Amino acid sequence: MQLVVARVGRAHGIKGEVTVEVRTDEPELRLGPGAVLATDPAAAGPLTIETGRVHSGRLLLRFEGVRDRTGAEALRNILLIADVDPEELPEGEDEYYDHQLMDLDVVLTDGTEIGRITEISHLPSQDLFVVERPDGSEVYIPFVEEIVVEIDLEEQRAVIDPPPGLIDDNADVASARDDEDSAEAGA
């Protein structure tokens, strides 16, 4: 099975290094020297990691055969894909691979069906579940423990406890203007 483990960012310096947006909880395992990665688009790869280092909090990689800034810039926005045994599980107890979460049913704590996970969006601040609702619309659920209270792989469901307004349009939104309007009306 193939998993996206990173996205190539911009070139760094003049010797062929690139920044990468890491999309794995195990970068030392998936993005170490010698790793051979497939790419999307496929025509750009496969790429073999020659060196890796952290600079100012960002992972920098250099690939075999890429020796200058022009070559590095040509790789920008390419997805790096690792082959992973489908039976392999993440090291952490509360960690999941994207393929484990795809197509899970999403339900509220009371059992109300919300929809099905169709995509996991990896953002810099957090991951989001893209959930397709029964009516075909989509809702975005932040994958944080305050909202996603349980992942049950045996039952193939994700249980959520969303704040008001996250999945419904009927939430009351407090506004400072409401207070001003009522104060003016009473004056």
Side-chain angles (χ1 to χ4, degrees), residues 5-23:
V5 293
R7 183 182 65 82
V8 177
R10 63 181 189 223
H12 179 85
I14 60 170
K15 295 184 180 180
E17 285 184 312
V18 294
T19 61
V20 292
E21 175 190 310
V22 177
R23 294 189 179 176

Side-chain angles (χ1 to χ4, degrees), residues 160-179:
I160 64 170
D161 187 13
L166 183 65
I167 59 170
D168 57 28
D169 296 330
N170 300 325
D172 290 329
V173 179
S175 169
R177 289 182 187 210
D178 294 340
D179 294 337

Side-chain angles (χ1 to χ4, degrees), residues 5-6 20 27 29-37 46-53 59-64 80:
V5 293
V20 292
L29 176 67
R30 309 278 180 223
L31 299 170
V36 178
L37 303 168
L47 295 172
T48 302
I49 297 175
E50 187 174 283
T51 63
R53 66 185 177 103
L59 180 61
L60 303 178
L61 297 179
R62 182 181 4 237
F63 299 101
E64 288 182 4
L80 302 176

Side-chain angles (χ1 to χ4, degrees), residues 13-181:
I14 60 170
K15 295 184 180 180
E17 285 184 312
V18 294
T19 61
V20 292
E21 175 190 310
V22 177
R23 294 189 179 176
T24 175
D25 290 335
E26 303 165 318
E28 62 285 341
L29 176 67
R30 309 278 180 223
L31 299 170
V36 178
L37 303 168
T39 59
D40 182 11
L47 295 172
T48 302
I49 297 175
E50 187 174 283
T51 63
R53 66 185 177 103
V54 176
H55 175 71
S56 297
R58 289 194 85 21
L59 180 61
L60 303 178
L61 297 179
R62 182 181 4 237
F63 299 101
E64 288 182 4
V66 179
R67 295 280 173 242
D68 59 22
R69 186 174 187 87
T70 303
E73 278 295 335
L75 298 175
R76 191 173 194 157
N77 293 322
I78 288 176
L79 297 177
L80 302 176
I81 302 166
D83 281 319
V84 177
D85 181 347
E87 301 300 314
E88 182 180 331
L89 298 176
E91 292 177 3
E93 181 179 322
D94 291 331
E95 294 178 0
Y96 303 93
Y97 290 133
D98 286 3
H99 75 275
Q100 294 175 293
L101 301 171
M102 292 296 293
D103 293 324
L104 291 185
D105 292 324
V106 178
V107 298
L108 297 176
T109 54
D110 67 4
T112 304
E113 182 181 338
I114 301 302
R116 182 179 56 84
I117 298 173
T118 57
E119 183 181 337
I120 291 96
S121 181
H122 300 280
L123 303 175
S125 59
Q126 67 196 12
D127 294 339
L128 288 177
F129 291 158
V130 179
V131 177
E132 183 178 321
R133 302 191 75 171
D135 66 4
S137 65
E138 289 183 338
V139 64
Y140 301 99
I141 308 291
F143 187 21
V144 294
E145 64 183 284
E146 293 82 10
I147 297 173
V148 181
V149 296
E150 179 185 3
I151 298 290
D152 186 340
L153 295 178
E154 287 185 22
E155 294 293 322
Q156 287 290 289
R157 67 183 190 158
V159 180
I160 64 170
D161 187 13
L166 183 65
I167 59 170
D168 57 28
D169 296 330
N170 300 325
D172 290 329
V173 179
S175 169
R177 289 182 187 210
D178 294 340
D179 294 337
E180 290 173 12
D181 292 343

